[in-house]
């Protein structure tokens, strides 16, 4: 590990390196989870809102349950993504504006460790969120899927992690919590319109179809639809899941690169 000499030339202080450190990452995740434990409203928002939205959607289409079957699987992935995006972007911004982030980065803590710690903490909540939403949709609301509910859970979890990564990334460009919320129309809404939820992507204008091909939410919806229609794990499902996971990792890397100590 590289060292940084003090003015006396005898003592050394560890300097953070580019590689992730497991202990620093775990310590950061534990600190975030301790803070969230004292914020029950945020925990309730992350865990319960996707379930409430699915519950409402099921009975909006009470007279046409087949409609719920057609779009419920897609929304099972979209709702966690949106929720985690909002909560993560606001929570991270609050850390920076309060000075906590600056104090942490003054310590031997790399940006990668910090971002990975946040992702690990929110990812743990994403597992709970996705499991509850998937269980509610399949076993209580009667969502009819041909494939395994475990594959639905996998895509829902990947979507929640993608929302976490996007939230961490955009928080670097917001100066206030209000601005963080304003990023939602710019980052989430275009993906929502172009992901194939409202109409098949092949029916879109070629220019919009080309744009949708590079948006991660499109592959989240495609992955859910593969589970909806096929009994076994298909090659297309594997491709879609890998693309969503890869996008989440890419955005986390960008988040570490753009992380700033304080809002300008």
């Amino acid at each position: 590990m590289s060292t940084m000499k003090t003015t006396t030339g005898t003592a050394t202080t560890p300097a953070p390196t580019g590689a992730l450190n497991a202990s620093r990452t775990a310590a950061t995740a534990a600190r975030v989870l301790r803070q969230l434990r004292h914020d029950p409203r945020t925990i309730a928002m992350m865990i319960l809102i996707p379930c409430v939205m699915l519950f409402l959607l099921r009975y909006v289409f009470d007279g046409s349950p087949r409609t719920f079957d057609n779009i419920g699987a897609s929304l099972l992935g979209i709702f966690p993504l949106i929720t985690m995006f909002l909560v993560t972007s606001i929570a991270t911004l609050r850390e920076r504006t309060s000075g906590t982030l600056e104090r942490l980065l003054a310590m031997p803590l790399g940006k990668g460790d910090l971002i990975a710690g946040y992702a690990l903490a929110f990812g743990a909540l994403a597992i709970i969120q996705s499991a509850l939403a998937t269980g509610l949709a399949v076993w209580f609301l009667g969502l009819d899927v041909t494939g395994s509910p475990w594959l639905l859970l996998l895509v829902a979890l990947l979507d929640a992690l993608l929302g976490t990564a996007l939230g961490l990334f955009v928080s670097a460009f917001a100066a206030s919590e209000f601005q963080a919320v304003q990023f939602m129309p710019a980052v989430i809404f275009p993906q929502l319109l172009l992901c194939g939820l409202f109409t098949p992507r092949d029916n879109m204008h070629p220019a919009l179809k080309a744009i949708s091909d590079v948006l991660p939410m499109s592959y989240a919806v495609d992955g859910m639809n593969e589970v909806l229609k096929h009994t076994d794990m298909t090659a297309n499902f594997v491709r879609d899941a890998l693309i969503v996971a890869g996008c989440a990792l890419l955005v986390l890397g960008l988040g570490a690169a753009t992380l700033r100590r304080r809002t300008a």
Side-chain angles (χ1 to χ4, degrees):
M1 180 180 292
S2 61
T3 59
M4 184 169 53
K5 292 184 178 181
T6 64
T7 55
T8 62
T10 56
T12 58
T13 302
T17 63
L20 290 178
N21 181 282
S23 61
R24 293 196 296 254
T25 298
T28 301
R31 182 188 62 81
V32 174
L33 289 173
R34 285 195 300 270
Q35 289 182 331
L36 287 174
R37 187 179 61 185
H38 300 293
D39 191 356
R41 287 179 296 182
T42 298
I43 295 177
M45 180 179 176
M46 283 193 293
I47 294 178
L48 297 180
I49 282 185
C51 295
V52 173
M53 293 297 101
L54 286 169
F55 186 85
L56 290 176
L57 185 71
R58 167 63 183 86
Y59 290 102
V60 165
F61 296 108
D62 192 40
S64 180
R66 193 60 196 168
T67 303
F68 177 71
D69 291 336
N70 291 333
I71 67 173
S74 299
L75 291 175
L76 184 58
I78 292 174
F79 285 157
L81 189 155
I82 294 174
T83 304
M84 296 304 292
F85 172 84
L86 282 173
V87 172
T88 306
S89 60
I90 293 173
T92 309
L93 180 65
R94 190 177 299 167
E95 291 269 85
R96 193 168 71 248
T97 55
S98 66
T100 302
L101 187 60
E102 185 172 11
R103 292 192 296 271
L104 289 172
L105 291 178
M107 301 167 60
L109 180 69
K111 292 183 178 181
D113 298 317
L114 191 64
I115 289 293
Y118 274 92
L120 187 61
F122 285 108
L125 292 174
I127 292 174
I128 300 173
Q129 178 197 69
S130 301
L132 286 176
T134 302
L136 175 71
V138 174
W139 290 295
F140 184 78
L141 299 179
L143 179 66
D144 186 15
V145 293
T146 302
S148 170
W150 293 106
L151 296 180
L152 281 183
L153 175 59
L154 174 61
V155 181
L157 176 58
L158 290 176
D159 292 342
L161 294 176
L162 176 61
T164 298
L166 289 171
L168 289 170
F169 176 64
V170 304
S171 68
F173 304 99
S176 66
E177 294 181 15
F178 179 66
Q179 285 188 6
V181 174
Q182 285 180 312
F183 273 104
M184 186 173 173
V187 176
I188 300 297
F189 286 0
Q191 296 192 67
L192 187 61
L193 293 174
L194 299 177
C195 69
L197 177 65
F198 301 104
T199 185
R201 292 194 293 125
D202 290 336
N203 295 343
M204 297 178 184
H205 187 279
L208 295 180
K209 171 65 167 59
I211 295 173
S212 73
D213 286 341
V214 299
L215 298 177
M217 192 182 291
S218 300
Y219 297 95
V221 171
D222 288 349
M224 288 296 193
N225 287 334
E226 287 293 310
V227 181
L228 191 67
K229 299 174 183 177
H230 301 282
T231 56
D232 299 320
M233 183 187 299
T234 65
N236 286 338
F237 174 86
V238 174
R239 178 207 63 187
D240 296 334
L242 289 176
I243 289 175
V244 175
C247 288
L249 292 175
L250 174 62
V251 175
L252 283 175
L254 293 174
T258 57
L259 186 66
R260 295 177 297 166
R261 290 188 177 187
R262 64 172 62 186
T263 303

